[in-house]
Amino acid sequence: MAREVGHFIGGEHVPGRSGRTSDIYQPMTGEVIGRLALASRAEMRAAIENAAKAQVTWAATNPQRRARVMMRFLDLVAREMDSLADLLAREHGKTIPDAKGDIQRGVEVVEFACGIPHLQKGEYTEGAGPGIDIYSMRQPLGVVAGITPFNFPAMIPMWKFAPAIACGNAFILKPSERDPGVPMRLAELMIEAGLPAGILNVVNGDKEAVDAILDDDIIQAVGFVGSSDIAQYVYARATATGKRAQCFGGAKNHMIIMPDADMDQAVDALMGAGFGSAGERCMAVSVAVPVGEKTADALMSKLIPRVESLKIGPSTDPSADYGPLVTKAALERVRNYVEIGVNEGAKLAVDGRAFKMQGYENGFYMGGCLFDHVTPEMRIYKEEIFGPVLSVVRAKDYAEALRLPNEHEYGNGVAIFTRDGDAARDFAAKVQVGMVGINVPIPVPLAYYTFGGWKRSGFGDLNQHGPDAVRFYTKTKTVTQRWPSGVKEGAQFSMPVMQ
Ligand code: NAD
């Protein structure tokens, strides 16, 4: 029986009242396992107003106490790791070990947020002038919101709500409609950890709920992660009403393989980064760029048998390399891209479209696909496919290889595989991409650095997590003070300056 999923508002589960719902699928079997309530504007507004009331007391709670809630939450997530990973895998389709990685990379940002008493400290200058001291404070914004994608239903909600809440804000999370189970469970665990009701709310919905957030006059900041067209739309609409916004979008991540690279290491890296999570990662490598024909031929001869022997399985099979795609629509979309690539003249070296998972015939599975001789004019190169499809673009030299990511409209992640320190250093300096790996295929920075892409992969000024998150979720107030015993100057009519 499909379960009904409503919202989590004011510390409790609330059924939806809009009358609109969407189905939640279990990708490994293709079954509908739940029905999700889609919030109306009025339901969203009520949740935001409730959060605003709760936020006043939370902002006045000392930062150590706020940090302790995060610490207790970490214990609870560790306690629930297996059940969270199982729920995540069932709704998303990724394998259980991969689901644990999704949770763990979110947990690391919660660990970072435990340092909020230190991170949120202001600055102080004693004696900036005669009897004058200056200090700054980082104050929370109020009520802020996060709108998150399907592909990391644990990690990205935690990236958003943990720093925001630690800074003293109340949070409205609008997770993806595809896999809302884990975000709802995380909100329950935050309450169990001691978070006051109303500080973390999960309001489920679609465009109507998102637009209600973007137009709301209480919401002060919006953090978005998803596809680029929606990221750009959210950025424009949120900032039009004076909100802070950071909106992260899609990607086409290149991996350059130099002639001197360790080929076995490069092939292992491409397999994991290209096909892990069925390619449904914003940091997945979707373009391999071997430099020189000899490198390309050597790469293809090693890649083809590896892609042909990928082990695809249900999410509950711990030995599977990857599981099904998230929905039937996603599967059809990816298959369609393969068809486009064939029609554009790319050479389909491995065709995984016909793959069927025995015993799971209605699941959304797809075999690995490998294209050779892809060129920059092709749609399969320009557009994000978001599936288990790797394209090989042959570059004649390093300069051409560097030009490819630099001229691409996306700029999320990139990697170079080489033993040459000079080439690696030059690449890191010149490449127009936000996150760079040197012999590292998925360079997702750790929690205490920031994460963010360039060009159409990121709209806004500050990155997610790390020190930027504290800047994004606080506003700085600077106080200049002088006490009556300070120097008395009489009325000053010219602009005050320090002598
Ligand atoms: P999506 O853009 O379809 O959805 C993201 C969020 O936007 C969801 O909460 C969804 O409900 C909402 N949304 C969808 N359509 C909307 C509309 N018309 N108006 C307002 N809101 C709308 O993305 P997705 O398919 O869930 O996630 C995959 C995408 O996310 C990929 O493009 C991937 O590269 C990207 N992504 C980027 C990063 C990053 O940090 N750059 C991380 C993860 C995923």
Side-chain angles (χ1 to χ4, degrees), residues 57-74:
T57 314
W58 181 241
T61 303
N62 76 53
Q64 268 177 298
R65 281 175 184 265
R66 298 201 304 257
R68 282 186 196 130
V69 172
M70 297 292 161
M71 291 176 201
R72 284 194 292 270
F73 175 70
L74 289 173

Side-chain angles (χ1 to χ4, degrees), residues 147-152 156 159 174-177 205-207 210-211 224-228 230 233-234 248-251 281-282 384 386 412 451 457 464:
I147 300 156
T148 55
F150 82 85
N151 68 327
F152 281 100
I156 295 178
W159 283 10
K174 204 306 284 171
S176 169
E177 307 91 298
D206 54 5
K207 180 170 166 48
V210 171
D211 287 347
F224 172 91
V225 180
S227 51
S228 286
I230 312 287
Y233 163 78
V234 168
F248 299 96
R281 290 185 185 134
C282 70
E384 184 181 47
F386 225 55
N412 212 39
F451 179 109
S457 295
Q464 0 190 34

Side-chain angles (χ1 to χ4, degrees), residues 13 52 105 187 196 232 249 306 346-348 387 394 402 418 443 471:
H13 288 275
R105 290 307 294 258
Q232 190 167 14
R306 294 286 297 272
K347 183 174 173 224
L348 187 57
R394 295 172 176 235
L402 174 63
T418 180
R471 291 184 196 113

Side-chain angles (χ1 to χ4, degrees), residues 107-257:
V107 156
E108 290 168 10
V109 172
V110 183
E111 290 169 348
F112 177 76
C114 290
I116 206 66
H118 177 71
L119 296 167
Q120 207 176 344
K121 282 194 300 200
E123 296 163 317
Y124 190 94
T125 302
E126 182 192 15
I132 293 178
D133 309 316
I134 304 180
Y135 64 94
S136 64
M137 307 182 243
R138 288 197 171 279
Q139 297 189 324
L141 303 178
V143 185
V144 299
I147 300 156
T148 55
F150 82 85
N151 68 327
F152 281 100
M155 178 181 88
I156 295 178
M158 283 192 262
W159 283 10
K160 301 282 175 211
F161 74 66
I165 289 174
C167 288
N169 299 288
F171 201 87
I172 303 287
L173 175 64
K174 204 306 284 171
S176 169
E177 307 91 298
R178 322 254 172 274
D179 43 16
V182 170
M184 295 286 275
R185 187 74 194 111
L186 294 174
E188 287 173 353
L189 294 177
M190 283 290 279
I191 295 291
E192 191 180 336
L195 187 73
I199 300 300
L200 176 56
N201 308 278
V202 183
V203 184
N204 286 303
D206 54 5
K207 180 170 166 48
E208 181 172 342
V210 171
D211 287 347
I213 289 172
L214 302 180
D215 298 340
D216 194 276
D217 58 355
I218 295 175
I219 296 285
Q220 297 295 307
V222 176
F224 172 91
V225 180
S227 51
S228 286
D229 287 348
I230 312 287
Q232 190 167 14
Y233 163 78
V234 168
Y235 184 75
R237 192 153 170 170
T239 52
T241 48
K243 295 173 181 56
R244 284 188 186 182
Q246 51 172 206
C247 302
F248 299 96
K252 198 79 181 177
N253 305 314
H254 297 61
M255 184 173 130
I256 317 295
I257 301 106

Side-chain angles (χ1 to χ4, degrees), residues 277-464:
S277 206
E280 291 175 322
R281 290 185 185 134
C282 70
M283 290 292 275
V285 171
S286 47
V287 182
V289 185
V291 174
E293 285 299 317
K294 246 176 82 181
T295 316
D297 291 341
L299 180 73
M300 287 306 293
S301 70
K302 282 183 186 271
L303 264 180
I304 290 171
R306 294 286 297 272
V307 177
E308 281 171 345
S309 58
L310 275 164
K311 182 162 187 238
I312 298 134
S315 318
T316 44
D317 176 356
S319 68
D321 295 325
Y322 68 85
L325 279 89
V326 66
T327 55
K328 191 156 194 225
L331 176 63
E332 277 163 9
R333 191 175 157 275
V334 177
R335 277 196 187 138
N336 188 41
Y337 266 114
V338 177
E339 183 78 31
I340 290 170
V342 170
N343 293 338
E344 285 177 316
K347 183 174 173 224
L348 187 57
V350 182
D351 183 355
R353 283 175 294 176
F355 177 83
K356 279 264 174 270
M357 186 72 221
Q358 245 191 337
Y360 295 85
E361 281 74 13
N362 295 323
F364 312 136
Y365 299 91
M366 180 160 166
C369 292
L370 177 64
F371 275 114
D372 196 1
H373 298 287
V374 174
T375 61
E377 303 73 42
M378 294 179 180
R379 276 185 66 195
I380 57 162
Y381 175 74
K382 290 197 241 179
E383 298 171 20
E384 184 181 47
I385 298 176
F386 225 55
V389 182
L390 180 64
S391 295
V392 175
V393 179
R394 295 172 176 235
K396 68 175 184 310
D397 54 22
Y398 168 71
E400 188 182 325
L402 174 63
R403 217 165 33 243
L404 286 165
N406 281 358
E407 290 180 358
H408 205 284
E409 68 169 351
Y410 292 119
N412 212 39
V414 73
I416 186 166
F417 273 61
T418 180
R419 290 187 173 95
D420 179 347
D422 266 346
R425 187 170 182 275
D426 187 76
F427 184 75
K430 292 186 182 152
V431 74
Q432 298 298 304
V433 172
M435 292 170 284
V436 183
I438 297 171
N439 299 315
V440 171
I442 306 186
V444 176
L446 288 181
Y448 43 96
Y449 283 84
T450 70
F451 179 109
W454 290 9
K455 300 183 277 184
R456 276 181 59 75
S457 295
F459 302 86
D461 306 310
L462 293 168
N463 280 352
Q464 0 190 34

